[in-house]
Amino acid sequence: MNKKGVLIVISGFSGVGKGTVVKKLIEKYQYSLSVSATTRAPRPGEVDGKDYYFKSVDEFRSLIDYNGFIEWAQYVENYYGTPRKFVEDEISKGHNVILEIEVQGAMRIKEQYPDAVLIFLTAPDARSLKSRLEGRGTEEAKVIAKRLKRAYEETEDMPFYDYLVVNDDLETCVEHVNAVIIAESFKTSNNKEYIEKTKNELLEIRKEITL
Ligand code: ADP
Ligand code: 5GP
């Protein structure tokens, strides 16, 4: 079946488990993952070109000037952007592409790609979100506080998402996100070529019928 690639946006509060869920999802189901550019410093273990393209502010600005991003946003103290070329190439190949981005970027994507599916990940409750973020141990207390404040603001945009998925048990969450992606890929709007092909095939058969 000749399906159109689905653009899947995954957002959620800092520390909710986006990175963890997306990593498992990709390992299990081999979706294409867009690697973003950022001006944030790498965390221990993060690899340039795999986790992010780590850029200076000047490099990031020139990418903006060259129309290199399909969306970009400032989040807390850094810039983040989705490189245009990878996403456009993958979609044109009919692949499903995952963007793990924050809410302002997600809204920009929705404007440009109305068929994109927007999934918002949440934790079972706000206290467990806080302890996940603290437990990750990658940000100092001041940055954690800013990210939690930002999480409160991000609730304003939650109603604009198509789906809300709770990341309580990790494996269950991965399956729920995948269920959304599969359902989206079966939408008639993502299968227009198949409809056209079936119509042409039936036209051929109709010509053969001599009643
Ligand atoms: P995000 O990418 O949303 O900022 P991470 O994927 O880095 O979040 O996860 C934040 C922390 O929460 C990590 O220490 C991760 O191991 C942990 N975590 C992720 N998913 C779960 C889950 N379902 N239950 C408990 N802890 C989780
Ligand atoms: P972190 O610093 O924790 O990796 O990411 C901070 C926030 O930036 C997260 O909400 C993450 O989803 C978001 N983010 C990562 N890449 C992009 C991107 O390309 N564009 C936008 N708008 N947000 C991004």
Side-chain angles (χ1 to χ4, degrees), residues 83-204:
R84 177 179 300 283
K85 191 172 177 340
F86 177 82
V87 173
E88 290 182 348
D89 287 354
E90 289 298 292
I91 291 290
S92 72
K93 285 181 208 156
H95 296 169
N96 295 331
V97 183
I98 297 186
L99 309 184
E100 193 240 282
I101 63 176
E102 54 70 70
V103 296
Q104 304 165 82
M107 297 304 121
R108 295 288 90 76
I109 294 294
K110 189 80 186 166
E111 286 162 15
Q112 294 172 70
Y113 299 88
D115 291 341
V117 50
L118 270 57
I119 304 173
F120 198 93
L121 287 190
T122 65
D125 56 73
R127 294 279 157 203
S128 45
L129 175 73
K130 186 169 179 274
S131 37
R132 279 184 200 176
L133 193 51
E134 289 166 349
R136 187 171 66 191
T138 49
E139 278 84 21
E140 56 183 52
K142 219 168 77 184
V143 176
I144 290 179
K146 284 185 184 170
R147 284 176 175 241
L148 287 170
K149 273 178 145 175
R150 182 77 193 118
Y152 173 73
E153 292 159 12
E154 287 177 337
T155 58
E156 291 291 329
D157 284 319
M158 285 170 76
F160 301 116
Y161 281 71
D162 300 303
Y163 298 93
L164 201 64
V165 178
V166 180
N167 178 22
D168 191 350
D169 172 68
L170 179 61
E171 300 297 334
T172 308
C173 179
V174 170
E175 294 316 311
H176 286 171
V177 171
N178 196 49
V180 168
I181 297 172
I182 290 176
E184 286 291 318
S185 76
F186 284 115
K187 273 188 168 171
T188 48
S189 57
N190 287 322
N191 291 282
K192 286 185 183 144
E193 280 185 31
Y194 179 81
I195 296 171
E196 201 52 36
K197 181 175 152 284
T198 307
K199 188 179 168 190
N200 290 332
E201 286 168 359
L202 284 168
L203 181 63
E204 286 304 310

Side-chain angles (χ1 to χ4, degrees), residues 18 36 40 43 52 71 80-82 100-102 147:
K18 297 179 295 298
S36 297
R40 146 164 105 55
R43 291 179 185 140
Y52 278 109
E71 65 72 34
Y80 297 81
T82 303
E100 193 240 282
I101 63 176
E102 54 70 70
R147 284 176 175 241

